[in-house]
């Protein structure tokens, strides 16, 4: 810290303000949702809103503590912190299960979920590791270590099991992509075994995020089409199954691309482009085939689950109970909602939407405030995420930047999945809405995450490259 | 290699998700209503309070359709504890097997609903919902069970209202109720499965009025289906309101008497108060006790029996049966002849049996006597003059013009079309017009000789008894009628506007006196065909008719009104297959009805006895 400068000279008040607004909106929604006529007082600690107030105060206190510590400590002690969270993840596996998962450490309602805190530990260590990697000289070792840092806690979390947090850990891939970590050394090792092949680099290894996106997209399309039958007016009598129409579309697209390249590419590039299109086409068709026949080969109840998720099948009172109730609550909010404390579907009392104060907190909020409210909420999260990306980009040190991106992507995952499952866009996996959902662990861990970021950012000028 | 541009990939991801989610939320919350409906389905329960139906009174203030409280024994399976089947079976007087089967039937059948969109029928049985275990128990039945119900948690009694008919008469007038079917539920949001709807008669015609207004309470319910609070503080709740009471013009005592007179016979009596058009009684024989069709239990056992009965007790003959009017039709042809100027009251025609058969009587030297004797050749001649007025050279063209004119007259008496009476099941009868005969014989291929049988009310002419009674009322009023109707007032309002309107027939008032004098002679002068309708102190004006029936014995018909001046009642009696013509059976029946209505007692006990005991044979 430079002499004469106050502790908060470079403090990002904007991010802090958004954080506080979300906290307050969250608490007020918990109060409305879990409202108990016999205990109307907000600070009634027998009620969930009373407890949430305690968590809020504790979180802010933790945040202040975190802020007062010199930011260097996170870089220096990231390894001990990481191992500490790992040990907690191991210990928690020996705890009695709550709701079928060994996720809680502690007694009764005052327990904490180590999985929430392991995100911070993993984030810090990964940031430290990536900031030291020379991206131009990546080896198999660097790739393996970076992935091991993520995979170890992921495996431990899957053992609980906690599918939601497990999925959230894949958000680190985005950060690795941003920093240029490439899977190329690994892929080349495998590919170059083939005699006569001598690649120096593969496009696949470094652009894994866009490729992942294409893979997921193509898989979804294949699944959505799996039970379709397509017929054409101008070709009577010919009926294509969904799978063949996907293959047909891919073929047409590939032909179109090579046609385009013939015109725009130079002669030398033309052959390369044709080769890339051909390989891409073969790989995409292969993926589509695997997904299609893999899906057809699944057992009936597994198929049902997937079809349910994709909206190909309806079972509003059975398998799809939670999501159906949640969507009814959100959708019935209308333009301006039913009014504060007036949720009829999503209140804890009516209990139509399960977990409406924790994982489904978006329901009562959307029902009470309507599109007016949800627009504000989505905008606030968007603003917060973009602000963090902006903060990340202004860091001088790679460590700070990587850490900031991690915060952004973890929050983004939570936001996208949590709200997504309320509007039928994501599977129902229980992860909290950051700063909003009832629950001490998530609020404390997100707050610490946020304050570490604020601290790193406020000291960004102290760090030289 | 510089990876800074890759931040745009991440930013694109974030912004894309934000935009897509916002659009999705806008669609779900603002545009698409289906989630709102789904939420209502899930969390809000409309609790409907069905008010008792409006009650019906007769013209003298006697309650003829009332409501009676019945009880349903309800069961909520989730609340049942330590259920002892045999103990319960003993309490309600069933066998163990029956109790088990009933439970099975509820689980399988109750709560079944048809989904319009998927076309599937789904059972929605839920343990936490209440279902009727036994429906429609009387107070006596429930009083025996109710004190012991506390030993059977999950069971309780629920009050429902059903019809009762203090007088077992007028079933064809009041109609009956039964449960709504699927189409009705889909068509009208008022009805829910299990609700009752008027199926026939007044109950059906005045369904909108009688059903009243449902009270609706919106309740927010929890996932366990218990009520939490009233929705939006009761802002949208409405209170139930019973339908207004209907006062009918019917005299239930007269109705009961008429039904008694026609017991064992097939036929009808329709009596109208001429000055108001109010229907005093509408007897359809055979009929049934309306109490047989109260509630699901009764309907399921009795309805099919009534429906399959060859004598058709459910068929409202006075409204729907179309008969040739027979000689009663001569009154109208007389009036038209006078109005057209083709005859005068002094016109005489010989009783020439060579043109059309007749009974033995002296030739009528004037119109009144022709009516008295009901002379067929006389009316053949009258009708010939009406139809063939020599306005055109060709006999065919001339008949065409004449018949058009005659049809117009008939329509002005309300014949050949459905009367606008406030009941369902009306038929229009038939007054043939030139187009009708053109269809049968070809254009200009028929003349008077082809259609002559209509002159004596036979052949193609068809009237319902209600039409005939309306003719009697029109003559009683000397030229006008008010559409016959049942309901005098709905609640406190008077009769509907359309039942105050006088319809004038195309015959001037002055022509009626001679006809009425003829009708008086029918009853009161020796040799008149309707002398058995004669009463001591009341002048009855009537006209007999004997309707030839190719399927069996002739029908006996009599139309009349009384008293001669300021008539109080116009009546038609129609008895099917009664041997012996209008004078023998229908006339005395009409006389008894008139006497009963005007004096409230019957002096002619012998006549009454003869009529009541008469039985006729009917071929099925």
């Amino acid at each position: 810290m430079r002499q004469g400068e106050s502790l908060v000279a470079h403090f990002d008040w904007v991010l802090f303000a958004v954080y506080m607004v979300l906290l307050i909106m969250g608490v007020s929604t918990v109060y409305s949702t879990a409202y108990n006529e016999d205990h109307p007082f907000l600070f009634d600690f027998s009620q969930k809103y009373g407890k949430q107030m305690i968590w809020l105060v504790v979180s802010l206190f933790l945040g202040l503590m975190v802020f007062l510590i010199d930011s260097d400590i996170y870089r220096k002690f990231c390894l001990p912190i990481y191992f500490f969270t790992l040990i907690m993840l191991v210990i928690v596996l020996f705890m009695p299960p709550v709701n079928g998962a060994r996720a809680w450490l502690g007694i009764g309602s005052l327990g904490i979920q180590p999985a929430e805190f392991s995100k911070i530990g993993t984030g810090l260590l990964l940031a430290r590791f990536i900031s030291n990697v020379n991206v131009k000289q990546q080896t198999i070792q660097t790739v393996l270590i970076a992935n091991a840092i993520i995979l170890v806690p992921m495996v431990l979390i899957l053992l609980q099991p906690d599918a939601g947090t497990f999925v959230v850990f894949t958000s680190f891939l985005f950060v690795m992509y941003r920093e240029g970590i490439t899977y190329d050394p690994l892929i080349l090792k495998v590919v170059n075994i083939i005699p006569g092949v001598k690649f120096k680099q593969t496009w696949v290894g470094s652009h894994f995020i866009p490729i992942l996106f294409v893979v997921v997209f193509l898989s979804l399309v294949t699944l959505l089409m799996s039970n379709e039958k397509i017929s054409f007016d101008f070709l009577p009598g010919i009926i294509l199954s969904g799978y063949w129409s996907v293959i047909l579309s891919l073929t047409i697209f590939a032909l179109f691309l090579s046609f385009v390249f013939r015109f725009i590419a130079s002669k030398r590039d033309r052959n390369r482009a044709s080769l890339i299109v051909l390989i891409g086409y073969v790989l995409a068709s292969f993926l589509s085939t695997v997904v299609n026949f893999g899906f057809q080969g699944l057992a009936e109840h597994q198929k049902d689950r997937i079809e349910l998720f994709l909206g190909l099948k309806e079972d509003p009172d059975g398998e799809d109970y939670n999501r159906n109730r949640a969507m009814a609550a959100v959708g019935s909010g209308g333009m301006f909602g039913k009014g504060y404390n007036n949720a009829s579907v999503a209140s804890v009392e009516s209990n139509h939407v399960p977990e409406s104060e924790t994982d489904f907190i978006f329901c009562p909020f959307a029902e009470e405030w309507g599109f007016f409210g949800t627009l504000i909420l989505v905008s606030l999260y968007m603003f917060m995420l973009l602000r963090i990306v902006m903060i990340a980009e202004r860091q001088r040190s790679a460590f700070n930047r990587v850490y900031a991106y991690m915060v952004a992507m973890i929050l983004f995952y939570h936001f996208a999945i949590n709200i997504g499952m309320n509007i039928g866009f994501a599977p129902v996996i229980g992860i909290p809405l950051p700063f909003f959902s009832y629950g001490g662990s998530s609020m404390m861990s997100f707050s610490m995450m946020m304050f570490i970021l604020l601290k790193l950012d406020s000291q960004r000028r102290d760090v030289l490259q | 290699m510089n990876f800074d541009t890759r931040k745009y990939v991440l930013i694109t991801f974030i912004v894309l998700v934000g935009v897509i989610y916002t659009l999705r939320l806008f669609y779900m919350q603002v545009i698409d209503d289906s989630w709102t409906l789904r939420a209502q389905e899930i969390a809000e329960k409309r609790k409907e309070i069905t008010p008792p139906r409006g009650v019906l009174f007769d013209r003298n203030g006697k309650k003829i359709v009332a409501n009676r409280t019945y009880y349903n024994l309800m069961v909520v399976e989730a609340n049942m504890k330590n259920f002892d089947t045999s103990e319960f079976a003993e309490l309600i007087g069933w066998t163990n097997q029956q109790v088990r089967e009933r439970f099975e039937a509820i689980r399988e059948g109750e709560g079944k609903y048809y989904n319009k969109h998927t076309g599937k029928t789904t059972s929605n049985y839920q343990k936490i919902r209440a279902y009727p275990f036994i429906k429609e128990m009387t107070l006596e039945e429930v009083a025996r069970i109710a004190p012991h119900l506390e030993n059977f948690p999950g069971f309780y009694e629920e009050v429902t209202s059903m019809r009762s008919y203090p007088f077992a008469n007028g079933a064809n007038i009041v109609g009956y109720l039964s449960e709504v079917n699927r189409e009705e539920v889909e068509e009208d949001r008022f009805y829910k499965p299990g609700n009752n709807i008027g199926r026939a008669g007044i109950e059906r015609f005045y369904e909108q009025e009688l059903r009243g207004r449902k009270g609706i309470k919106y309740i927010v319910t929890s996932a366990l289906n218990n009520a939490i609070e009233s929705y939006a503080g009761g802002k949208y709740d409405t209170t139930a309101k019973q339908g207004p009471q209907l006062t009918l013009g019917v005299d239930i005592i007269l109705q009961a008497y008429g039904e008694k007179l026609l017991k064992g016979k097939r036929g009808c009596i329709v009596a109208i108060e001429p000055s108001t058009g109010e229907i005093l009684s509408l007897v359809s024989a055979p009929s049934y006790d309306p109490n047989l069709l109260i509630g699901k239990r009764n309907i399921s056992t009795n309805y099919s029996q009534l429906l399959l009965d060859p004598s058709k007790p459910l068929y409202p003959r006075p409204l729907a049966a179309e008969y040739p009017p027979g000689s009663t039709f001569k009154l109208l042809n007389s009036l038209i002849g006078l109005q057209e100027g083709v005859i005068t009251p002094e016109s005489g025609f010989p009783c020439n049996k060579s043109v059309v058969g007749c009974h033995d009587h002296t030739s009528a030297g004037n119109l009144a006597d022709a009516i008295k004797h009901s002379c067929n050749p006389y009316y053949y001649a009258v009708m010939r003059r009406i139809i063939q007025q020599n306005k055109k050279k060709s006999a065919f063209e001339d008949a065409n013009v004449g018949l058009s004119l005659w049809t117009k007259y008939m329509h002005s008496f309300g014949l050949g079309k459905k009367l606008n009476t406030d009941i369902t099941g009306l038929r229009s009868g038939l007054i043939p017009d030139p187009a009708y005969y053109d269809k049968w014989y070809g254009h200009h291929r028929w003349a008077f000789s082809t259609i002559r049988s209509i002159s004596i009310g036979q052949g193609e002419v068809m009237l319902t008894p209600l039409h005939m009674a309306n003719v009697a009322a029109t003559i009683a009023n000397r030229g006008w009628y008010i559409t016959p109707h049942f309901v005098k007032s709905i609640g406190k309002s008077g009769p509907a506007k359309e039942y105050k309107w006088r319809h004038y027939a195309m015959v001037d008032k002055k022509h009626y006196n001679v006809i009425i004098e003829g009708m008086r002679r029918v009853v009161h002068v020796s040799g008149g065909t309707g002398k058995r309708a004669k009463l001591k102190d009341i002048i009855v004006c009537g006209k007999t008719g004997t309707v030839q029936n190719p399927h069996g014995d002739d029908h006996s018909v009599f139309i009349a009104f009384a008293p001669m001046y300021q008539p109080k009642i116009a009546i038609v009696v129609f008895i099917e297959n009664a041997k012996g013509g209008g004078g023998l059976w229908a006339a005395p029946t009409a006389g008894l009805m008139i006497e009963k209505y005007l004096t409230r007692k019957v002096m002619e006990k012998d006549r009454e006895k003869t009529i009541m005991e008469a039985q006729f044979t009917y071929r099925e």
Side-chain angles (χ1 to χ4, degrees), chain B residues 228-242:
Chain B
I228 295 176
E229 57 187 4
S230 64
Y231 178 74
K235 197 161 60 171
Y236 304 106
D237 293 0
T238 53
T239 48
K241 203 175 162 209
Q242 185 177 14

Side-chain angles (χ1 to χ4, degrees), chain A residues 5-64:
Chain A
E5 276 191 356
S6 93
L7 203 58
V8 291
H10 301 287
F11 186 72
D12 196 276
W13 288 104
V14 176
L15 183 58
F16 179 73
V18 178
Y19 160 78
M20 283 308 293
V21 169
L22 284 173
L23 273 189
I24 290 162
M25 284 168 76
V27 167
S28 72
T29 306
V30 171
Y31 179 68
S32 152
T33 307
Y35 181 73
N36 185 331
E37 276 179 16
D38 302 331
H39 304 271
F41 187 46
L42 178 62
F43 294 94
D44 189 320
F45 300 130
S46 69
Q47 298 300 311
K48 290 197 164 150
Y49 32 89
K51 287 180 190 149
Q52 183 77 339
M53 285 309 293
I54 300 178
W55 298 129
L56 197 148
V57 172
V58 170
S59 297
L60 288 175
F61 177 74
L62 276 174
L64 185 66

Side-chain angles (χ1 to χ4, degrees), chain B residues 52 55 219 223 237 288 298 306 355 386 431 488 558-559 613:
Chain B
V55 293
I219 305 169
D237 293 0
Y288 62 94
N298 280 321
L306 289 171
V355 286
I386 296 172
I431 296 296
K488 269 171 79 129
F558 189 72
I559 80 169
E613 286 174 355

Side-chain angles (χ1 to χ4, degrees), chain A residues 136 174 177-178 206 317 324-325 327 330-332 334 349-352 366 371 374-375 393 405 416 420 423, chain B residues 1 3-4 6-7 10 14 17-18 20-22 24-26 28-30 35 38-39 42-43 221-223 228:
Chain A
K136 284 169 191 156
F174 280 84
Y177 170 73
R178 163 67 186 85
S206 55
D317 295 322
N324 184 270
R325 297 300 188 275
M327 287 173 77
V330 173
S332 66
E349 193 180 17
S350 73
N351 201 27
H352 291 291
F371 180 68
T374 56
L375 180 66
E393 291 294 335
Y405 263 118
I423 57 177
Chain B
M1 222 189 283
F3 299 107
D4 274 356
R6 285 190 176 183
K7 73 180 174 195
L10 304 191
I14 292 171
V17 167
I20 290 172
Y21 278 22
T22 305
R24 170 70 170 174
L25 282 165
F26 184 73
M28 273 178 75
Q29 297 190 292
V30 182
W35 290 110
R38 181 72 187 132
I42 291 168
T221 57
S222 77
I228 295 176

Side-chain angles (χ1 to χ4, degrees), chain A residues 420-434:
Chain A
M421 70 188 189
N422 282 291
I423 57 177
F425 277 7
V428 177
I429 49 174
I431 60 171
L433 190 59

